[in-house]
Amino acid sequence: MIRGTLGKAGRWSIAPRRMASALGAMRPNALTLAAAILLAVVAWSSVTLFSEQLRFAVFAPQAHVAVVIATVIARLFGALVLSMFITERHGDRLLWVAAGLFVSGVGGFVFQYKDLSYSVAHTPSAAAYESLFVWTTTAALFVVGLVSKNPPKLTRNLMAAVLAVCLAAGYAIHEFGALLPPLVADPEVSSLAYEATGWNWVVSMLPLGLAVAATYGAAVLYRRGNLAGWLLVAMALLTGSQLRAVFQPTAYSTVITTADFFRLAFAAVVALGGILKLRRIAQERETLLAAEKETNKRLEELGVMKADFTAMVAHELNGPLSAIRNLSDMLSCGELSNDERRRVLGEIQSQTESLKDLVEDVRTSGSVERDDFHVEMRPTPLDGILADAASFFRTLPGGRELIVASEVERNIHVLADAGRIGQVLRNLLSNAVKYTPDGEAVSLRVVEDTKDGKEFVRIEVVDRGIGVYPGDFERIFEKFGRGRDASGGKVPGAGLGLYLSRRIVRRHGGELYLKATSGEGSVFAFELERLA
């Protein structure tokens, strides 16, 4: 047997972040680590059966007091963390585990710290019974939480009853422990490790069996992803300490044995696990607060965008309505020639088409984001799509020229929703006319393209306007987003056309591309699948 003496409590320095990181990385290896601990304890216990010289015991009065205080605080801290931050899914399980930690912490304080600090006289066998009772109760509470399929709810009354039973049993052991069968072979020896009696081997099987069951339950829950890895490792250390207590009885005394070191490690893992849980909860709360701030910011932006959208729509409606009203007044005066009347009627029709397009964009914006928004893909003549686009262009104000250049043969078909693609082209052509200077033409080009063995038709709308600032390339495709003009101010419009156009094109399985340089014009293009 190895014997030693410590005059003063030793000091250890542990880097919290390094230890926390190591324990946090335990998740993938917790099962392996727990198995390694148990195998090591079994191997060590087997060796000490045949060689008493390898047994470990240290008489350390001052160091033992420090160890007791540290382990009691660690267990109570773990119990506090588990009971305060429980999840609805595993709340009952963790409450029972917290109760076990609480009982072990209170038992250590009541029996061990009290006896050591105030020199309360009691026999080594009585002290061993106190330790045996506390750890049996602790392991039993762990079993209820970790092994039961549906753990019962731990109410305050039930917890109070458990504590009352523990206090009563502890008092009875303290007062009448000398009448019980001895657990220690030589009760007169107090400075060395105690020798186990046959009765100790029998009664120690109860806490050992409970600890093994708790470890098994923890392993099952861990494999299912329902338990933290540090709790599994803690249960393995508890089992190791109980196995060592079978061969080498532990008591609330000044002798530190191998089982005490395992229990110290158990308390350390519980404390670090509690710290990790607190850190994770703090990080989750920071994430939630950041998400809430971002949501509030987005809601404020959305409110501003809605207000801007209302103002923009009112402005866009006001222009055509004012023009129609003025043109109607001109017709009502009755002094116009036939040519003037035809011109006025044509202008009224043009403004009416502008109103129709705006209403269509607003209506589409309300449905384009819904899951049930769909396009009816069917074989569609490309010539018809281009002819409709050219007809619409002639209704636009400004009298600009549209140059249609096609590199594909006539009478081909594409897979498209003619109505939706027509809406895309109307938006692109309207923007092109809006930003193209007087005297400049707008181009509508059609070229062939091939991707992944499939043939496509690429349709491009080219203007020679102000172009797009590099910083606006994404903004103009956002809902209510608008680019900037040459002076840096926002261009007029509702900010819906390009947003809707991109959504529609994406529903066709394509993408709306932009190639533009500030001050040199823009090219908007998309592709449609060509049919054989």
Side-chain angles (χ1 to χ4, degrees), residues 344-385:
V344 169
L345 288 173
E347 188 63 28
I348 290 176
Q349 182 180 2
S350 175
Q351 296 298 331
T352 302
E353 290 295 328
S354 297
L355 287 175
K356 177 184 175 182
D357 293 338
L358 179 59
V359 171
E360 180 66 20
D361 284 348
V362 173
R363 187 183 69 175
T364 305
S365 68
S367 61
V368 71
E369 294 179 345
R370 297 202 308 261
D371 293 336
D372 58 353
F373 175 78
H374 66 281
V375 293
E376 297 181 2
M377 307 278 283
R378 62 183 62 182
T380 304
L382 178 62
D383 293 341
I385 294 176

Side-chain angles (χ1 to χ4, degrees), residues 92-226:
D92 290 334
R93 292 190 184 279
L94 295 183
L95 276 178
W96 284 100
V97 175
L101 293 174
F102 182 76
V103 167
S104 66
V106 172
F109 174 79
V110 172
F111 295 125
Q112 193 165 14
Y113 180 62
K114 173 178 67 64
D115 293 346
L116 291 176
S117 299
Y118 299 100
S119 300
V120 177
H122 64 298
T123 65
S125 185
Y129 269 112
E130 291 173 349
S131 176
L132 179 69
F133 174 75
V134 169
W135 287 107
T136 300
T137 306
T138 298
L141 293 172
F142 288 159
V143 167
V144 175
L146 299 175
V147 178
S148 302
K149 185 176 182 180
N150 295 306
K153 187 173 183 62
L154 182 61
T155 62
R156 292 182 180 180
N157 292 336
L158 182 57
M159 187 62 196
V162 171
L163 292 177
V165 171
C166 290
L167 291 176
Y171 176 80
I173 292 173
H174 185 76
E175 294 295 328
F176 308 106
L179 303 178
L180 297 173
L183 300 178
V184 178
D186 185 2
E188 300 299 326
V189 178
S190 59
S191 61
L192 304 176
Y194 303 121
E195 299 294 334
T197 63
W199 178 243
N200 178 79
W201 281 64
V202 174
V203 296
S204 294
M205 290 299 162
L206 178 57
L208 175 60
L210 292 172
V212 170
T215 303
Y216 174 78
V220 172
L221 293 174
Y222 172 78
R223 287 179 62 87
R224 295 174 181 173
N226 297 332

Side-chain angles (χ1 to χ4, degrees), residues 46-367:
S46 301
V47 172
T48 57
L49 279 176
F50 304 100
S51 177
E52 293 187 1
Q53 298 299 319
L54 295 178
R55 295 184 184 181
F56 177 86
V58 177
F59 176 64
Q62 297 181 14
H64 203 276
V65 172
V67 170
V68 170
I69 295 174
T71 55
V72 167
I73 293 176
R75 294 166 196 159
L76 293 179
F77 171 72
L80 178 65
V81 172
L82 289 180
S83 60
M84 288 181 60
F85 303 102
I86 60 176
T87 61
E88 183 176 348
R89 182 181 177 187
H90 308 300
D92 290 334
R93 292 190 184 279
L94 295 183
L95 276 178
W96 284 100
V97 175
L101 293 174
F102 182 76
V103 167
S104 66
V106 172
F109 174 79
V110 172
F111 295 125
Q112 193 165 14
Y113 180 62
K114 173 178 67 64
D115 293 346
L116 291 176
S117 299
Y118 299 100
S119 300
V120 177
H122 64 298
T123 65
S125 185
Y129 269 112
E130 291 173 349
S131 176
L132 179 69
F133 174 75
V134 169
W135 287 107
T136 300
T137 306
T138 298
L141 293 172
F142 288 159
V143 167
V144 175
L146 299 175
V147 178
S148 302
K149 185 176 182 180
N150 295 306
K153 187 173 183 62
L154 182 61
T155 62
R156 292 182 180 180
N157 292 336
L158 182 57
M159 187 62 196
V162 171
L163 292 177
V165 171
C166 290
L167 291 176
Y171 176 80
I173 292 173
H174 185 76
E175 294 295 328
F176 308 106
L179 303 178
L180 297 173
L183 300 178
V184 178
D186 185 2
E188 300 299 326
V189 178
S190 59
S191 61
L192 304 176
Y194 303 121
E195 299 294 334
T197 63
W199 178 243
N200 178 79
W201 281 64
V202 174
V203 296
S204 294
M205 290 299 162
L206 178 57
L208 175 60
L210 292 172
V212 170
T215 303
Y216 174 78
V220 172
L221 293 174
Y222 172 78
R223 287 179 62 87
R224 295 174 181 173
N226 297 332
L227 193 73
W230 63 269
L231 276 174
L232 171 58
V233 175
M235 294 301 112
L237 290 169
L238 175 64
T239 302
S241 68
Q242 295 306 127
L243 180 59
R244 291 300 306 148
V246 172
F247 302 98
Q248 201 171 356
T250 60
Y252 290 135
S253 66
T254 56
V255 178
I256 300 177
T257 65
T258 311
D260 293 317
F261 276 98
F262 275 108
R263 286 168 183 168
L264 177 61
F266 167 81
V269 170
V270 169
L272 289 175
I275 293 173
L276 285 180
K277 189 173 181 66
L278 289 178
R279 289 183 60 186
R280 184 172 65 253
I281 291 173
Q283 292 173 354
E284 290 175 354
R285 289 188 174 181
E286 289 180 2
T287 302
L288 289 175
L289 288 175
E292 184 178 359
K293 290 181 180 179
E294 182 65 22
T295 300
N296 291 334
K297 181 180 178 182
R298 294 294 297 172
L299 288 175
E300 291 176 0
E301 293 176 351
L302 183 59
V304 173
M305 291 170 63
K306 286 182 176 180
D308 291 345
F309 172 69
T310 302
M312 286 185 294
V313 170
H315 175 74
E316 293 296 315
L317 289 173
N318 184 64
L321 289 174
S322 297
I324 291 173
R325 183 177 62 251
N326 294 332
L327 292 170
S328 299
D329 291 340
M330 292 175 61
L331 288 175
S332 63
C333 70
E335 299 178 357
L336 300 177
S337 64
N338 291 335
D339 290 339
E340 290 174 333
R341 289 175 65 85
R342 282 193 294 270
R343 183 180 63 80
V344 169
L345 288 173
E347 188 63 28
I348 290 176
Q349 182 180 2
S350 175
Q351 296 298 331
T352 302
E353 290 295 328
S354 297
L355 287 175
K356 177 184 175 182
D357 293 338
L358 179 59
V359 171
E360 180 66 20
D361 284 348
V362 173
R363 187 183 69 175
T364 305
S365 68
S367 61

